[in-house]
Amino acid sequence: MKLHVDAWDPAYGLSFEASATDGPQAQSSAQIQPDVELPAAAWRPVDPPAVDVPGTVLIVDGVQRIDARVWITDDEGTTHPGVAASYAAGVVRCELGRGVAQVATTRIERGLFTPVAELPPVVAGNIRYPGRRIRRGEPKDLALGVQRHMRALEVGVSNEERTDGDLLIVDGPLQERAHLPRALGYIKTHRVEYLPADLTAVVTALRGGQRTPVFLLGTSWHRFAWYLRLPGPAGAPWSGIVRAECSADLEPGAAVALAGLSAVTLPRFASQAYKDPRAPQNLVPIAGLERKLRAMLGDARLLHRALARVAA
C-alpha cells in the first residue's frame, strides 16, 4: 500500500466550511406548520419577554481542517482518493450572573478519510491519523465523512458540563442532540427559504431582539424553529438574522418558552463588526472557542510537510 500526498496546499482545494450569505438562495422543500404559537394570518414580530436569563449558558462548537489531500494505492494497484483531516470540539461555559466565560472542555481528533478498508494509521512525527473508512471517495463524500466525525465529537462534549437550569446552545443544527434538555440549535447561515413569502416578510421586518412566532419545520426530521434578529447596525433585509431550533418532542408551550429565553439570551453574545467580519451572528463565545480550537489543530504547513515526508 502506497501513500501519495497532493503537493497543493489544501486551502486551495474545496472548502469544507460554508460562508455566510445575505439570505436564502433557494426555496426549501421542507414542510412547515406555522400555527404553533400564532395562526399564520396573525404572524407578527414578537418582543422579548420579561424573563430572567439563565444563570449558566453552555455553548458548543467544532472546527475542522483538511491537512492534506492524499491518494492511496492498495495492494491490488487500485488508487483511491482521501483526505487527512484534523477536527476539534469544545464547550464555553458562560456564568451570566458573574459575567464570566471560560472554555470548559476541548477535544481534538484526526483521521485519514478514504474508501480503503483496514487502513493502518499514518504517523507523521508525533501526529497520528487513524484510518476512517467511508463508502466513496467523491469530494462530497470525503467532506461529509469529516463533518460526521466532527459532529460526533461535538455530541460527545455536549453533555459533559450540564447543570440543572442551564441552557445549551449548539452552533449549528441540533441533529443528534435533540434529546438533550434545554438545548437550542443556532443556525447563522441561511441557504434555503423555509417560509412562504408573506411569513418571510415578518422575518425581514424584525427589529433587534425581536423574533418570529414558533413554527414546526421538517421532512424526515422535525424541529420547532423560529427566526431572531440580533442587535446591530441596519443593513440588508437578512442582516443579523439567525434561526434557532429545539426538539419537536417538546410540548408547544415549552418550545415557545425556549424561544422567549433565546430572545433574552442570544443578543447578549452578539459580536461587533469591528472585531468579527461575521458580526453579529458569530457570537463572541463561539469566536473565542473557534480561535482556541484552531490553535489546537496545529500548524497546517508543518502537518502537510510531515505527511509528505511519510509518503516519500
Side-chain angles (χ1 to χ4, degrees):
M1 188 175 294
K2 296 181 179 179
L3 174 70
H4 306 272
V5 174
D6 195 318
W8 274 37
D9 185 328
Y12 291 96
L14 295 175
S15 172
F16 285 83
E17 296 188 17
S19 60
T21 61
D22 291 331
Q25 305 299 302
Q27 187 69 39
S28 171
S29 61
Q31 301 297 311
I32 70 160
Q33 296 179 24
D35 55 354
V36 173
E37 184 176 359
L38 290 175
W43 261 44
R44 55 173 174 76
V46 179
D47 290 322
V51 298
D52 294 332
V53 296
T56 301
V57 177
L58 304 174
I59 301 180
V60 179
D61 194 14
V63 300
Q64 58 184 352
R65 187 186 65 207
I66 305 304
D67 296 331
R69 301 183 184 279
V70 304
W71 298 91
I72 300 168
T73 303
D74 62 24
D75 296 337
E76 297 178 356
T78 304
T79 299
H80 307 269
V83 293
S86 300
Y87 46 98
V91 180
V92 178
R93 185 182 187 89
C94 306
E95 302 285 350
L96 299 188
R98 299 169 51 210
V100 175
Q102 60 182 2
V103 177
T105 300
T106 57
R107 299 283 185 274
I108 180 171
E109 291 185 1
R110 306 182 198 270
L112 185 60
F113 295 81
T114 175
V116 177
E118 299 180 358
L119 182 70
V122 173
V123 180
N126 296 325
I127 304 300
R128 185 173 180 269
Y129 291 87
R132 312 283 194 196
R133 189 184 183 188
I134 58 175
R135 289 187 177 182
R136 298 189 305 171
E138 298 295 327
K140 180 180 179 180
D141 298 298
L142 295 172
L144 288 175
V146 178
Q147 182 78 5
R148 280 195 298 269
H149 278 74
M150 187 192 73
R151 291 298 186 199
L153 195 59
E154 290 181 0
V155 171
V157 303
S158 290
N159 211 27
E160 292 188 8
E161 297 291 329
R162 301 306 303 271
T163 58
D164 291 340
D166 63 10
L167 178 66
L168 179 71
I169 299 173
V170 176
D171 188 32
L174 276 179
Q175 295 181 328
E176 296 89 350
R177 290 158 289 191
H179 65 286
L180 297 177
R182 304 177 307 283
L184 296 179
Y186 176 79
I187 298 95
K188 55 182 178 283
T189 300
H190 310 287
R191 296 181 178 85
V192 295
E193 189 169 318
Y194 290 108
L195 300 173
D198 56 333
L199 301 186
T200 297
V202 177
V203 178
T204 55
L206 295 174
R207 298 193 306 272
Q210 291 183 326
R211 65 173 178 86
T212 66
V214 175
F215 57 96
L216 186 63
L217 168 68
T219 51
S220 57
W221 49 267
H222 291 83
R223 301 278 190 274
F224 286 120
W226 56 95
Y227 288 96
L228 169 71
R229 189 186 294 275
L230 298 176
W238 283 82
S239 176
I241 297 290
V242 299
R243 191 179 85 248
E245 64 180 29
C246 64
S247 172
D249 293 334
L250 296 173
E251 293 294 328
V256 172
L258 275 175
L261 197 60
S262 74
V264 299
T265 303
L266 291 174
R268 297 172 66 98
F269 301 123
S271 53
Q272 301 293 324
Y274 74 93
K275 289 185 177 180
D276 194 322
R278 292 179 289 172
Q281 290 98 316
N282 199 43
L283 304 181
V284 172
I286 290 176
L289 178 59
E290 286 178 343
R291 286 193 295 270
K292 182 174 181 63
L293 294 177
R294 292 190 192 284
M296 291 173 58
L297 298 184
D299 189 299
R301 294 169 298 177
L302 294 179
L303 289 170
H304 188 275
R305 196 176 307 158
L307 286 164
R309 283 200 298 266
V310 171

